[in-house]
Amino acid sequence: MTRRAIVAANWKMNGDLTLVDTMVTGLKNMQLQKNVNVVICPSFILLSELSNKANKQKLNKAIHVGAQNVSEHKSGAYTGEVSTDMLNELSVKFAIIGHSERRSYYQETSRQIAYKVKAALDAGLTPILCIGESEVERATEQTETILSAQLQPVIDEVGIEKFIDVVIAYEPVWAIGTGKTASSEMAQETHQFIRQFLASANEEVADKVPLLYGGSVNASNCDELFAQPDIDGGLIGGASLNVEQFKQICLAAKGK
Ligand code: PEP
């Protein structure tokens, strides 16, 4: 079995033209391990600049541009939204979908997230589907129920076979931006549950889906996390804004 590793940067509502420039220059000669992809997801307005710079500077073909969200609609009267066609026009290859900040601040439901995953897949974009439990849900032993409830509507909408083109990011909400990382044992145990949940629908697909861990990953804890058998890389927030730190995280990733 070979499973690629992915390190994705989620800049959230941070970063500017200068960071795009620094990042592209900083990653230019990076020698990634075999079977590793890097994805940089800045805000929508920086996508064009990042795509152009990556192209001009002939960035490693394993480094891709990603969006932080995408509309489930094809086009039309949806003020403020960005469609899959618009992303494709800018050579964007990935889209983060269902980040916990979208679920909680913008009331995105698992059903709507399922439609977004479908729209992304239909347009040839790779969705990075985010799932994760809150601190209370973990404390009350509801983690597996919550993760299943976040995954099932997407499986129902797109079909398990299509998960071969989906990346899942497990991000415990209590670990995002808090400095509280899940222990590597806890992260592995949860990733193993996610893989088994997918395997109960299709074992072959489950073996191939990259499962990323997200939540306060940094250059000091990435080695231990990425060494776990079911952790295939990370979704990186804060640490992805620092080129040197992000580079170290990218270099720690290996395909399995
Ligand atoms: C995220 O926003 O997806 C994230 C994991 O953030 P941080 O790394 O800052 O916890």
Side-chain angles (χ1 to χ4, degrees):
M1 176 202 58
T2 47
R3 207 161 53 226
R4 65 181 165 150
I6 296 174
V7 178
N10 176 14
W11 287 5
K12 312 194 190 198
M13 202 170 70
N14 298 299
D16 52 16
L17 294 169
T18 308
L19 184 62
V20 169
D21 199 40
T22 319
M23 189 60 72
V24 173
T25 311
L27 301 187
K28 194 166 157 50
N29 298 314
M30 180 168 64
Q31 298 289 324
L32 290 166
Q33 308 232 26
K34 234 176 56 197
N35 223 3
V36 175
N37 283 175
V38 169
V39 186
I40 303 168
C41 307
S43 67
F44 284 128
I45 61 154
L46 296 173
L47 287 170
S48 170
E49 180 75 5
L50 179 59
S51 276
N52 288 337
K53 280 238 155 78
N55 201 20
K56 245 195 223 145
Q57 301 248 14
K58 300 198 175 15
L59 215 53
N60 184 333
K61 291 274 178 270
I63 304 177
H64 300 281
V65 178
Q68 296 175 17
N69 184 23
V70 69
S71 174
E72 65 272 40
H73 303 290
K74 196 79 190 132
S75 63
Y78 299 102
T79 303
E81 292 290 290
V82 171
S83 74
T84 53
D85 287 350
M86 293 167 183
L87 295 180
N88 269 325
E89 207 176 8
L90 298 180
S91 308
V92 170
K93 301 289 179 218
F94 289 74
I96 297 173
I97 295 178
H99 191 280
S100 63
E101 288 152 17
R102 300 289 322 168
R103 291 179 192 260
S104 68
Y105 303 147
Y106 304 99
Q107 288 78 48
E108 286 190 8
T109 62
S110 290
R111 173 70 38 217
Q112 185 185 8
I113 288 159
Y115 295 147
K116 289 183 180 221
V117 171
K118 169 114 182 23
L121 288 169
D122 287 350
L125 294 165
T126 302
I128 301 176
L129 168 64
C130 299
I131 57 173
E133 82 289 359
S134 68
E135 194 154 29
V136 175
E137 288 159 352
R138 163 76 55 182
T140 52
E141 295 180 3
Q142 292 182 79
T143 301
E144 295 186 358
T145 313
I146 295 297
L147 298 180
S148 311
Q150 290 173 340
L151 282 170
Q152 195 58 51
V154 186
I155 297 175
D156 293 343
E157 183 60 29
V158 306
I160 188 67
E161 289 73 22
K162 288 278 169 58
F163 269 67
I164 203 81
D165 297 317
V166 174
V167 175
I168 296 176
Y170 165 61
E171 301 203 300
V173 178
W174 47 270
I176 297 179
T178 58
K180 286 196 226 169
T181 322
S183 67
S184 49
E185 292 77 21
M186 187 196 277
Q188 164 56 26
E189 190 181 88
T190 313
H191 279 232
Q192 191 177 27
F193 165 75
I194 296 166
R195 203 173 301 283
Q196 278 165 357
F197 184 82
L198 298 175
S200 64
N202 186 321
E203 221 168 293
E204 220 177 294
V205 170
D207 253 4
K208 299 216 163 83
V209 178
L211 300 183
L212 317 186
Y213 170 77
S216 299
V217 177
N218 56 44
S220 316
N221 59 23
C222 61
D223 285 313
E224 199 183 329
L225 285 161
F226 294 174
Q228 302 305 312
D230 286 297
I231 301 184
D232 307 307
L235 180 54
I236 321 295
S240 72
L241 299 168
N242 177 299
V243 183
E244 280 317 308
Q245 180 146 200
F246 184 60
K247 213 165 148 178
Q248 284 188 50
I249 299 170
C250 294
L251 293 172
K254 292 181 195 65
K256 294 204 165 82

